[in-house]
Amino acid sequence: METNGETIRPTAQQALAALAETEQVRASTTALSATPWPLWFTVALTLYTAAIPPVYGGTLAEPDWLLPRSTWSVVLIVMTAAHAALFAAAASQWRRKTGVALRLDVLPKRVTIPLAIGLPAVLLGSAFVFRATGEPLWLCAASVVGAAVSVAFHLVFVRLHRKATA
């Protein structure tokens, strides 16, 4: 530092305090960048996951169930497009916040592979069981399971990232 042509050096205590403050800022930044997508997206994803069974079940219902099949198909298309747009917004927000792209491939395989196989089987399988039995209880049960898995996955994701930054 220079003042009036003189160089002033910080004392050892000032330098240590500055380093400690820098480390605290770095830890805070790391924790911030490690948090998952925003809460609003978690809520939207959970609602989307819970809505898939009844909407998909409505598209497969024979005869029409509650609404015409074409209406269910339009709802499914609009719902999927809205989810894609919200996912893009959340990924963009993540990139602005952390400076890195949202990459789902870095998540632990022990968590994501069972989720990638099991959740679609439950959500879509319930629609086929509903079509075969005509019993909407399957759709309701799959919605509850889907919402619970969505929230649980988010909490596991948060825990894994906190553990990685600690």
Side-chain angles (χ1 to χ4, degrees), residues 82-99:
H83 174 263
L86 290 174
F87 183 82
S92 174
Q93 182 177 346
W94 174 280
R95 193 170 30 264
R96 277 194 313 276
K97 184 171 151 182
T98 65

PDB file of all heavy atoms in Angstrom, residues 82-99:
ATOM      1  N   ALA A  82     -43.570 -26.521 -19.958  1.00  0.00           N
ATOM      2  CA  ALA A  82     -43.350 -25.627 -18.814  1.00  0.00           C
ATOM      3  C   ALA A  82     -42.210 -26.139 -17.941  1.00  0.00           C
ATOM      4  O   ALA A  82     -41.367 -25.358 -17.482  1.00  0.00           O
ATOM      5  CB  ALA A  82     -44.634 -25.502 -17.991  1.00  0.00           C
ATOM      6  N   HIS A  83     -42.155 -27.450 -17.731  1.00  0.00           N
ATOM      7  CA  HIS A  83     -41.061 -28.023 -16.946  1.00  0.00           C
ATOM      8  C   HIS A  83     -39.720 -27.769 -17.621  1.00  0.00           C
ATOM      9  O   HIS A  83     -38.747 -27.403 -16.966  1.00  0.00           O
ATOM     10  CB  HIS A  83     -41.274 -29.524 -16.748  1.00  0.00           C
ATOM     11  CG  HIS A  83     -40.124 -30.176 -16.076  1.00  0.00           C
ATOM     12  ND1 HIS A  83     -39.137 -30.822 -16.775  1.00  0.00           N
ATOM     13  CD2 HIS A  83     -39.777 -30.259 -14.773  1.00  0.00           C
ATOM     14  CE1 HIS A  83     -38.226 -31.273 -15.924  1.00  0.00           C
ATOM     15  NE2 HIS A  83     -38.597 -30.952 -14.713  1.00  0.00           N
ATOM     16  N   ALA A  84     -39.646 -27.954 -18.935  1.00  0.00           N
ATOM     17  CA  ALA A  84     -38.392 -27.712 -19.667  1.00  0.00           C
ATOM     18  C   ALA A  84     -37.968 -26.244 -19.548  1.00  0.00           C
ATOM     19  O   ALA A  84     -36.785 -25.941 -19.347  1.00  0.00           O
ATOM     20  CB  ALA A  84     -38.544 -28.116 -21.124  1.00  0.00           C
ATOM     21  N   ALA A  85     -38.934 -25.326 -19.648  1.00  0.00           N
ATOM     22  CA  ALA A  85     -38.616 -23.900 -19.536  1.00  0.00           C
ATOM     23  C   ALA A  85     -38.150 -23.554 -18.118  1.00  0.00           C
ATOM     24  O   ALA A  85     -37.184 -22.801 -17.947  1.00  0.00           O
ATOM     25  CB  ALA A  85     -39.839 -23.062 -19.905  1.00  0.00           C
ATOM     26  N   LEU A  86     -38.794 -24.100 -17.117  1.00  0.00           N
ATOM     27  CA  LEU A  86     -38.386 -23.848 -15.734  1.00  0.00           C
ATOM     28  C   LEU A  86     -37.015 -24.456 -15.442  1.00  0.00           C
ATOM     29  O   LEU A  86     -36.202 -23.860 -14.734  1.00  0.00           O
ATOM     30  CB  LEU A  86     -39.427 -24.387 -14.754  1.00  0.00           C
ATOM     31  CG  LEU A  86     -40.747 -23.630 -14.721  1.00  0.00           C
ATOM     32  CD1 LEU A  86     -41.752 -24.349 -13.834  1.00  0.00           C
ATOM     33  CD2 LEU A  86     -40.544 -22.207 -14.264  1.00  0.00           C
ATOM     34  N   PHE A  87     -36.744 -25.636 -16.008  1.00  0.00           N
ATOM     35  CA  PHE A  87     -35.435 -26.249 -15.830  1.00  0.00           C
ATOM     36  C   PHE A  87     -34.352 -25.376 -16.469  1.00  0.00           C
ATOM     37  O   PHE A  87     -33.288 -25.167 -15.883  1.00  0.00           O
ATOM     38  CB  PHE A  87     -35.397 -27.651 -16.434  1.00  0.00           C
ATOM     39  CG  PHE A  87     -34.087 -28.341 -16.201  1.00  0.00           C
ATOM     40  CD1 PHE A  87     -33.834 -28.967 -14.996  1.00  0.00           C
ATOM     41  CD2 PHE A  87     -33.104 -28.356 -17.172  1.00  0.00           C
ATOM     42  CE1 PHE A  87     -32.628 -29.598 -14.752  1.00  0.00           C
ATOM     43  CE2 PHE A  87     -31.891 -28.978 -16.947  1.00  0.00           C
ATOM     44  CZ  PHE A  87     -31.655 -29.611 -15.737  1.00  0.00           C
ATOM     45  N   ALA A  88     -34.631 -24.841 -17.646  1.00  0.00           N
ATOM     46  CA  ALA A  88     -33.661 -23.949 -18.309  1.00  0.00           C
ATOM     47  C   ALA A  88     -33.427 -22.691 -17.472  1.00  0.00           C
ATOM     48  O   ALA A  88     -32.289 -22.231 -17.341  1.00  0.00           O
ATOM     49  CB  ALA A  88     -34.162 -23.583 -19.703  1.00  0.00           C
ATOM     50  N   ALA A  89     -34.484 -22.152 -16.894  1.00  0.00           N
ATOM     51  CA  ALA A  89     -34.340 -20.966 -16.046  1.00  0.00           C
ATOM     52  C   ALA A  89     -33.525 -21.284 -14.791  1.00  0.00           C
ATOM     53  O   ALA A  89     -32.658 -20.505 -14.384  1.00  0.00           O
ATOM     54  CB  ALA A  89     -35.717 -20.421 -15.663  1.00  0.00           C
ATOM     55  N   ALA A  90     -33.785 -22.427 -14.182  1.00  0.00           N
ATOM     56  CA  ALA A  90     -33.034 -22.819 -12.983  1.00  0.00           C
ATOM     57  C   ALA A  90     -31.564 -23.064 -13.321  1.00  0.00           C
ATOM     58  O   ALA A  90     -30.671 -22.663 -12.570  1.00  0.00           O
ATOM     59  CB  ALA A  90     -33.645 -24.072 -12.354  1.00  0.00           C
ATOM     60  N   ALA A  91     -31.299 -23.701 -14.452  1.00  0.00           N
ATOM     61  CA  ALA A  91     -29.913 -23.939 -14.872  1.00  0.00           C
ATOM     62  C   ALA A  91     -29.204 -22.628 -15.164  1.00  0.00           C
ATOM     63  O   ALA A  91     -28.032 -22.448 -14.814  1.00  0.00           O
ATOM     64  CB  ALA A  91     -29.881 -24.852 -16.092  1.00  0.00           C
ATOM     65  N   SER A  92     -29.907 -21.694 -15.770  1.00  0.00           N
ATOM     66  CA  SER A  92     -29.322 -20.377 -16.049  1.00  0.00           C
ATOM     67  C   SER A  92     -29.028 -19.629 -14.750  1.00  0.00           C
ATOM     68  O   SER A  92     -27.965 -19.010 -14.600  1.00  0.00           O
ATOM     69  CB  SER A  92     -30.287 -19.566 -16.915  1.00  0.00           C
ATOM     70  OG  SER A  92     -29.813 -18.271 -17.089  1.00  0.00           O
ATOM     71  N   GLN A  93     -29.951 -19.697 -13.808  1.00  0.00           N
ATOM     72  CA  GLN A  93     -29.740 -19.054 -12.505  1.00  0.00           C
ATOM     73  C   GLN A  93     -28.547 -19.685 -11.795  1.00  0.00           C
ATOM     74  O   GLN A  93     -27.736 -18.987 -11.196  1.00  0.00           O
ATOM     75  CB  GLN A  93     -31.002 -19.165 -11.659  1.00  0.00           C
ATOM     76  CG  GLN A  93     -30.888 -18.475 -10.322  1.00  0.00           C
ATOM     77  CD  GLN A  93     -32.194 -18.538  -9.532  1.00  0.00           C
ATOM     78  OE1 GLN A  93     -33.245 -18.869 -10.055  1.00  0.00           O
ATOM     79  NE2 GLN A  93     -32.129 -18.232  -8.264  1.00  0.00           N
ATOM     80  N   TRP A  94     -28.417 -21.006 -11.870  1.00  0.00           N
ATOM     81  CA  TRP A  94     -27.288 -21.706 -11.267  1.00  0.00           C
ATOM     82  C   TRP A  94     -25.981 -21.223 -11.898  1.00  0.00           C
ATOM     83  O   TRP A  94     -25.007 -20.965 -11.219  1.00  0.00           O
ATOM     84  CB  TRP A  94     -27.469 -23.206 -11.491  1.00  0.00           C
ATOM     85  CG  TRP A  94     -26.316 -24.059 -11.061  1.00  0.00           C
ATOM     86  CD1 TRP A  94     -25.154 -24.274 -11.751  1.00  0.00           C
ATOM     87  CD2 TRP A  94     -26.202 -24.804  -9.854  1.00  0.00           C
ATOM     88  NE1 TRP A  94     -24.343 -25.118 -11.056  1.00  0.00           N
ATOM     89  CE2 TRP A  94     -24.961 -25.458  -9.885  1.00  0.00           C
ATOM     90  CE3 TRP A  94     -27.035 -24.993  -8.770  1.00  0.00           C
ATOM     91  CZ2 TRP A  94     -24.526 -26.289  -8.870  1.00  0.00           C
ATOM     92  CZ3 TRP A  94     -26.600 -25.823  -7.757  1.00  0.00           C
ATOM     93  CH2 TRP A  94     -25.369 -26.453  -7.806  1.00  0.00           C
ATOM     94  N   ARG A  95     -25.969 -21.106 -13.228  1.00  0.00           N
ATOM     95  CA  ARG A  95     -24.765 -20.674 -13.938  1.00  0.00           C
ATOM     96  C   ARG A  95     -24.379 -19.253 -13.541  1.00  0.00           C
ATOM     97  O   ARG A  95     -23.221 -18.960 -13.326  1.00  0.00           O
ATOM     98  CB  ARG A  95     -24.986 -20.789 -15.452  1.00  0.00           C
ATOM     99  CG  ARG A  95     -23.746 -20.666 -16.270  1.00  0.00           C
ATOM    100  CD  ARG A  95     -23.911 -21.018 -17.749  1.00  0.00           C
ATOM    101  NE  ARG A  95     -25.192 -20.785 -18.379  1.00  0.00           N
ATOM    102  CZ  ARG A  95     -26.156 -21.696 -18.544  1.00  0.00           C
ATOM    103  NH1 ARG A  95     -26.006 -22.912 -18.107  1.00  0.00           N
ATOM    104  NH2 ARG A  95     -27.286 -21.382 -19.139  1.00  0.00           N
ATOM    105  N   ARG A  96     -25.356 -18.357 -13.427  1.00  0.00           N
ATOM    106  CA  ARG A  96     -25.076 -16.980 -13.000  1.00  0.00           C
ATOM    107  C   ARG A  96     -24.549 -16.944 -11.564  1.00  0.00           C
ATOM    108  O   ARG A  96     -23.663 -16.178 -11.229  1.00  0.00           O
ATOM    109  CB  ARG A  96     -26.324 -16.114 -13.101  1.00  0.00           C
ATOM    110  CG  ARG A  96     -26.584 -15.554 -14.470  1.00  0.00           C
ATOM    111  CD  ARG A  96     -27.636 -14.436 -14.436  1.00  0.00           C
ATOM    112  NE  ARG A  96     -28.827 -14.746 -13.662  1.00  0.00           N
ATOM    113  CZ  ARG A  96     -29.884 -15.413 -14.107  1.00  0.00           C
ATOM    114  NH1 ARG A  96     -29.894 -15.858 -15.340  1.00  0.00           N
ATOM    115  NH2 ARG A  96     -30.929 -15.625 -13.338  1.00  0.00           N
ATOM    116  N   LYS A  97     -25.139 -17.789 -10.723  1.00  0.00           N
ATOM    117  CA  LYS A  97     -24.804 -17.784  -9.301  1.00  0.00           C
ATOM    118  C   LYS A  97     -23.429 -18.395  -9.033  1.00  0.00           C
ATOM    119  O   LYS A  97     -22.682 -17.894  -8.200  1.00  0.00           O
ATOM    120  CB  LYS A  97     -25.890 -18.576  -8.563  1.00  0.00           C
ATOM    121  CG  LYS A  97     -25.781 -18.607  -7.071  1.00  0.00           C
ATOM    122  CD  LYS A  97     -27.052 -19.251  -6.547  1.00  0.00           C
ATOM    123  CE  LYS A  97     -26.869 -19.969  -5.266  1.00  0.00           C
ATOM    124  NZ  LYS A  97     -28.086 -20.621  -4.810  1.00  0.00           N
ATOM    125  N   THR A  98     -23.091 -19.468  -9.740  1.00  0.00           N
ATOM    126  CA  THR A  98     -21.870 -20.211  -9.441  1.00  0.00           C
ATOM    127  C   THR A  98     -20.775 -20.046 -10.483  1.00  0.00           C
ATOM    128  O   THR A  98     -19.627 -20.344 -10.207  1.00  0.00           O
ATOM    129  CB  THR A  98     -22.166 -21.713  -9.317  1.00  0.00           C
ATOM    130  OG1 THR A  98     -22.599 -22.211 -10.583  1.00  0.00           O
ATOM    131  CG2 THR A  98     -23.198 -21.980  -8.240  1.00  0.00           C
ATOM    132  N   GLY A  99     -21.140 -19.646 -11.680  1.00  0.00           N
ATOM    133  CA  GLY A  99     -20.142 -19.538 -12.746  1.00  0.00           C
ATOM    134  C   GLY A  99     -19.884 -20.842 -13.471  1.00  0.00           C
ATOM    135  O   GLY A  99     -19.037 -20.911 -14.360  1.00  0.00           O
TER     136      GLY A  99
END
